[in-house]
Amino acid sequence: DGGITQSPKYLFRKEGQNVTLSCEQNLNHDAMYWYRQDPGQGLRLIYYSQIVNDFQKGDIAEGYSVSREKKESFPLTVTSAQKNPTAFYLCASSIGTSYQETQYFGPGTRLLVL
Amino acid sequence: AQTVTQSQPEMSVQEAETVTLSCTYDTSESDYYLFWYKQPPSRQMILVIRQEAYKQQNATENRFSVNFQKAAKSFSLKISDSQLGDAAMYFCAYRSADQDSGYALNFGKGTSLLVTP
């Protein structure tokens, strides 16, 4: 089936530890996005990538890093510099880079700090 | 960045009735897209409906329709014949036509919809 997968569903991070969230899509989409969702807030953009080997910072990129080595994969690393990482993380993709394209979302990863 | 405001944190509707969720946005652009997404308890974001700013006709998708007032910068969602499965968080989102924005979505804070039998 075509879609976006995120793993793991739940992730626990210890203080000072880097963790990586996986996002994979088999939709042949060019653009991919990472959003963070906190309780009582809408989604906020962390990073986005419009093409392989290129990505741009979003509104809240501090403490996060990404890579886009393959079209279908856009992993997000939450570094120890992110002081408040507990949140729900959503990955999205769209077929092209036109503003007319709809973004489709994965099921999300819940990150908790121990 | 454009601001999206959903002024109703919670709404309630009886099964089979109609409910309208409000959304306003702030922009100086003339070309953009607006979206309504649904987030059920599973937390999967599901596209409900979308509207192109340059189209005057309001979008409809089965029981879901929008009232798009471009001059007023208003984009409300109407759900007709509400069903128990409609219970969810509903997010309004704006997408700029400006390439420098990366075409990312700007979201409101959401409206929690409760559907009662």
Side-chain angles (χ1 to χ4, degrees):
Chain A
D1 286 358
I4 303 171
T5 57
Q6 291 186 241
S7 62
K9 188 173 182 179
Y10 296 96
L11 185 58
F12 299 92
R13 193 191 91 163
K14 296 180 180 178
E15 293 290 339
Q17 186 181 42
N18 293 355
V19 292
T20 298
L21 285 62
S22 169
C23 177
E24 304 275 335
Q25 54 95 2
N26 61 3
L27 302 167
N28 200 32
H29 284 179
D30 283 318
M32 297 186 75
Y33 304 82
W34 274 105
Y35 293 91
R36 169 177 171 147
Q37 186 177 25
D38 293 284
Q41 302 229 19
L43 281 67
R44 293 181 292 168
L45 180 68
I46 305 172
Y47 267 98
Y48 65 93
S49 169
Q50 295 175 290
I51 197 170
V52 174
N53 292 322
D54 185 57
F55 47 83
Q56 304 296 328
K57 292 182 179 180
D59 300 323
I60 55 167
E62 185 175 352
Y64 300 97
S65 65
V66 293
S67 63
R68 187 86 187 276
E69 297 176 1
K70 299 186 295 182
K71 187 176 184 178
E72 59 270 22
S73 178
F74 191 42
L76 173 74
T77 296
V78 184
T79 74
S80 58
Q82 173 49 242
K83 298 307 179 187
N84 185 23
T86 297
F88 188 62
Y89 291 86
L90 286 153
C91 178
S93 69
S94 60
I95 190 168
T97 54
S98 164
Y99 77 102
Q100 299 166 317
E101 303 295 343
T102 296
Q103 287 185 24
Y104 297 93
F105 285 80
T109 292
R110 178 75 172 164
L111 176 60
L112 298 167
V113 177
L114 296 177
Chain B
Q2 290 77 13
T3 303
V4 178
T5 302
Q6 294 180 248
S7 59
Q8 307 153 316
E10 295 180 352
M11 291 284 285
S12 180
V13 63
Q14 277 195 317
E15 209 173 355
E17 297 297 310
T18 296
V19 65
T20 298
L21 308 183
S22 301
C23 173
T24 58
Y25 56 95
D26 181 27
T27 185
S28 58
E29 299 176 335
S30 60
D31 203 7
Y32 48 87
Y33 261 75
L34 295 164
F35 301 83
W36 278 99
Y37 280 88
K38 168 185 177 181
Q39 189 179 41
S42 67
R43 306 201 73 174
Q44 174 89 48
M45 293 287 284
I46 302 165
L47 177 69
V48 175
I49 198 166
R50 70 179 204 170
Q51 174 78 41
E52 304 163 66
Y54 62 85
K55 284 191 175 180
Q56 291 187 336
Q57 185 173 6
N58 289 324
T60 62
E61 288 286 343
N62 301 314
R63 298 183 295 107
F64 299 88
S65 62
V66 298
N67 183 6
F68 174 49
Q69 300 290 329
K70 191 173 184 179
K73 298 178 184 176
S74 171
F75 182 59
S76 60
L77 174 70
K78 186 171 81 170
I79 305 174
S80 304
D81 186 25
S82 297
Q83 300 175 359
L84 294 177
D86 294 333
M89 281 290 287
Y90 285 82
F91 291 94
C92 178
Y94 174 103
R95 192 175 196 188
S96 170
D98 179 7
Q99 186 175 5
D100 290 340
S101 75
Y103 309 125
L105 293 164
N106 284 321
F107 285 86
K109 292 188 177 183
T111 296
S112 178
L113 179 65
L114 175 66
V115 182
T116 57

